[in-house]
Amino acid sequence: MATLTMKYPEVKNYVGGKYVSSKASKHLDVISPLDGSLLSTVPLSTKEDLSDAVSVARKAFETWSKVPIKERVQVFFRYKTLLEKNIVELSKLVQEENGKTLDEARAEVEKSIELTEFACSLPQLIGGEILEVSKGVECRTDYYPVGVVACIVPFNFPSMVPNWTIPNAIALGNTMILKPSEVVPLSCIKIVELLKEAGLPDGVLNIVNGDREIVEAICDHPGIDAVSFVGSTKVAKLVYARAASHFKRVLTLGGAKNHLMVLPDAHPAMTASNVTASMSGCAGQRCMAASAMIAVGNSQHIIDMICEDAKKVVPGQNLGAVISKGAKERIEGYITEAEKQGAKILVDGRNCVVKGKENGFYVGPTVIDYVTPDMSVAREEIFGPVISIMRAKDIDEALAIENASPYGNAAAVFTQSGGAARYVIERASAGMIGVNIGVPVPREPFSFGGWNDSKFGVGDLTGKSSIEFWTKLKKTTTKWNAEAKTNWMS
Ligand code: NAD
């Protein structure tokens, strides 16, 4: 651990509105993927650190849960304005710790603002129902917060993914333990600072940094009522099973292998630029990234255009870095393995060095053709700016390849035929479908969430669908009229 040349002070936990030192004996370096420089260090917190934070969050829940929702969302109206005011600073921080381009970093802060806007609309959405169910007898429903919720987030969206959960869960009356990715813990500090400035009471949102050990402690802790997780499928399964074994409410979002099906009638230029942007945006480190393309029939002219477009994607300019040296090696390993297995590398992003940023972790855009469904590049999540092209004779063969994937986050079809698009929409086994859109992220109020091995649990984490996850429904039956005739139920 080298602390002398760090750009930022060491990361601390944030509990009860104060920065507190962890009891950790181990810390990790926080490295900027842009140039390999040391940004900070992050503690691998202990179970005791977590228990302290849970006690504070439980106490805060007693008061925060009783604040009327119209009052609670006022914090988020102010937070939205503060995000807008601080967008440049927050975007730069996201870029620095994650390695994406500044435009991409700004886009995720803009999405954080949209998520916050949705939370501000929650009072309009969670009104309960009331009905006279028999003479003089009424039933009504009310949404109650769940309690202390824990949110575990990945490295690839340091601002957006924490904001998938913070505004909705907290506006609905919960208090929270946030576990940032140990790889990108800095943006979360800025987020809690803005929320404090917006008037969020101390103790409502707390940060406990760490890695596997703290995640396992979150799953086991009796003071935590619900756990949300976003990350790889392997860990999503572990967290789901472990937290559920303690009878917690759990929703875990996992990895992806998203297929784009390109039909011969697709608009060539629009399709090529969209496929290229979908696979190379955020250096391919998106759970919604296009990772595999299935060229149906003769789509060679579109493949040629994709190669031309890919060559215009320049690392260090309009293509960011990947998260670590290990990630760069893993991605390049996939490309080399595919080549050895007989695939053809049409555009090769291996051994990429950006002048002036020689210590950064860059992989150039990569187009691999003649991939077969059995190859690792066809089956596994690469999480890099790589597209693996397979060939299919018709839509059914393309759908069979897509649906054989254990994942089910997103799938897209490129065509000018409404009938063909409808055919794919109905048959693709994925939670989010794009028609002529390679990264079909639903915008608020629509919710985000995949199927199959890309999500475990019921409902989605954002949008209207998240209301059920962050609340408990109370059903009250009332009779005030003593004269009302009783019947079988009252
Ligand atoms: P990751 O699974 O390695 O880490 C996610 C979180 O889990 C981190 O906070 C990390 O500290 C913790 N963690 C890591 N290993 C653990 C273990 N063994 N036990 C308990 N906790 C552990 O994921 P990542 O590398 O940070 O993020 C990339 C992955 O996230 C990709 O697979 C991507 O597809 C996925 N992702 C999915 C979505 C979605 O909406 N489905 C969104 C963003 C990212």
Side-chain angles (χ1 to χ4, degrees):
M1 184 179 79
T3 49
L4 289 176
T5 54
M6 291 188 326
K7 177 160 183 192
Y8 296 101
E10 71 172 85
V11 172
K12 294 196 169 178
N13 292 339
Y14 180 80
V15 179
K18 294 187 186 68
Y19 293 107
V20 295
S21 294
S22 159
K23 299 178 181 72
S25 55
K26 280 190 267 171
H27 290 70
L28 296 179
D29 289 343
V30 181
I31 303 286
S32 175
L34 296 172
D35 56 8
S37 62
L38 180 66
L39 296 175
S40 181
T41 63
V42 63
L44 298 185
S45 304
T46 64
K47 286 181 190 164
E48 292 72 39
D49 293 326
L50 177 69
S51 284
D52 292 349
V54 173
S55 303
V56 167
R58 287 231 76 85
K59 182 117 193 44
F61 181 72
E62 286 167 23
T63 41
W64 182 246
S65 59
K66 294 183 184 71
V67 175
I69 186 163
K70 274 173 167 280
E71 211 177 300
R72 287 195 301 250
V73 297
Q74 297 311 313
V75 170
F76 291 98
F77 279 107
R78 294 190 288 270
Y79 175 57
K80 175 189 177 278
T81 306
L82 287 168
L83 281 172
E84 286 163 347
K85 226 167 112 186
N86 289 272
I87 191 164
V88 173
E89 193 186 332
L90 186 52
S91 306
K92 281 187 182 155
L93 201 52
V94 166
Q95 182 193 30
E96 227 171 3
E97 64 176 345
N98 172 277
K100 58 182 67 177
T101 68
L102 194 56
D103 283 349
E104 289 165 348
R106 191 182 172 98
E108 77 161 282
V109 181
E110 281 168 357
K111 180 68 190 178
S112 308
I113 292 168
E114 183 174 70
L115 290 154
T116 307
E117 281 169 5
F118 176 77
C120 292
S121 74
L122 282 166
Q124 276 51 259
L125 296 174
I126 67 150
E129 295 171 323
I130 186 162
L131 181 72
E132 186 180 38
V133 289
S134 43
K135 194 70 196 150
V137 177
E138 280 171 358
C139 272
R140 63 174 273 170
T141 54
D142 295 279
Y143 292 91
Y144 281 72
V146 180
V148 176
V149 301
C151 300
I152 302 154
V153 293
F155 80 80
N156 62 330
F157 285 96
S159 168
M160 180 187 78
V161 175
N163 278 300
W164 274 359
T165 57
I166 294 169
N168 288 355
I170 291 180
L172 288 166
N174 301 288
T175 58
M176 186 183 285
I177 308 290
L178 178 66
K179 207 300 280 173
S181 163
E182 66 278 25
V183 188
V184 295
L186 300 170
S187 302
C188 285
I189 296 173
K190 186 71 195 165
I191 288 169
V192 293
E193 278 175 2
L194 295 182
L195 278 161
K196 186 167 174 110
E197 195 180 337
L200 188 71
D202 293 345
V204 173
L205 173 60
N206 307 279
I207 294 183
V208 181
N209 290 285
D211 62 2
R212 174 186 182 153
E213 198 182 322
I214 213 70
V215 171
E216 290 176 350
I218 284 172
C219 295
D220 297 345
H221 200 293
I224 294 174
D225 302 288
V227 176
S228 80
F229 169 92
V230 181
S232 62
T233 290
K234 185 180 133 220
V235 184
K237 283 182 176 173
L238 292 171
V239 170
Y240 187 86
R242 190 157 178 156
S245 77
H246 294 285
F247 308 104
K248 295 185 199 305
R249 188 178 284 204
V250 202
L251 190 54
T252 67
L253 273 54
K257 185 80 186 174
N258 306 313
H259 294 70
L260 308 182
M261 289 162 260
V262 175
L263 307 192
D265 74 336
H267 187 288
M270 183 183 85
T271 302
S273 67
N274 205 284
V275 171
T276 308
S278 309
M279 70 92 159
S280 63
C282 296
Q285 298 178 124
R286 300 191 267 201
C287 65
M288 296 294 279
S291 181
M293 174 182 141
I294 308 169
V296 177
N298 184 8
S299 309
Q300 186 59 45
H301 58 298
I302 298 177
I303 296 174
D304 294 342
M305 289 177 89
I306 290 171
C307 291
E308 288 313 307
D309 282 350
K311 286 175 194 156
K312 294 179 203 145
V313 178
V314 184
Q317 291 177 26
N318 55 351
L319 176 63
V322 298
I323 192 68
S324 63
K325 187 163 176 279
K328 177 178 161 76
E329 287 166 3
R330 195 196 66 244
I331 297 161
E332 294 188 346
Y334 271 115
I335 303 167
T336 302
E337 186 191 335
E339 189 175 40
K340 281 190 189 144
Q341 290 170 334
K344 201 166 163 202
I345 316 299
L346 301 182
V347 181
D348 191 349
R350 286 172 291 185
N351 306 315
C352 169
V353 178
V354 172
K355 204 157 173 273
K357 304 233 160 117
E358 285 77 7
N359 292 326
F361 316 127
Y362 294 90
V363 178
T366 301
V367 181
I368 313 179
D369 201 0
Y370 298 104
V371 169
T372 52
D374 55 310
M375 293 180 187
S376 310
V377 288
R379 289 182 290 108
E380 294 172 20
E381 182 175 40
I382 300 174
F383 231 50
V386 179
I387 187 106
S388 306
I389 302 178
M390 289 171 272
R391 312 278 176 143
K393 63 178 181 313
D394 54 27
I395 301 188
D396 287 320
E397 192 183 340
L399 277 164
I401 295 171
E402 197 280 328
N403 289 343
S405 169
Y407 298 105
N409 221 35
V413 59
F414 288 79
T415 179
Q416 295 188 61
S417 156
R422 189 77 223 162
Y423 192 85
V424 171
I425 293 167
E426 284 171 7
R427 289 166 180 77
S429 182
M432 293 170 278
I433 307 289
V435 176
N436 298 318
I437 293 183
V439 179
V441 174
R443 304 253 326 245
E444 277 32 54
F446 298 96
S447 62
F448 185 99
W451 287 4
N452 311 329
D453 277 4
S454 294
K455 192 189 72 182
F456 305 92
V458 178
D460 286 335
L461 206 49
T462 68
K464 279 191 216 164
S465 175
S466 73
I467 294 171
E468 299 232 339
F469 184 72
W470 299 123
T471 59
K472 300 187 285 198
L473 195 64
K474 184 171 276 185
K475 289 73 59 178
T476 305
T477 306
T478 309
K479 183 171 84 172
W480 293 111
N481 178 357
E483 292 81 50
K485 228 176 129 197
T486 53
N487 66 10
W488 57 267
M489 64 75 65
S490 55

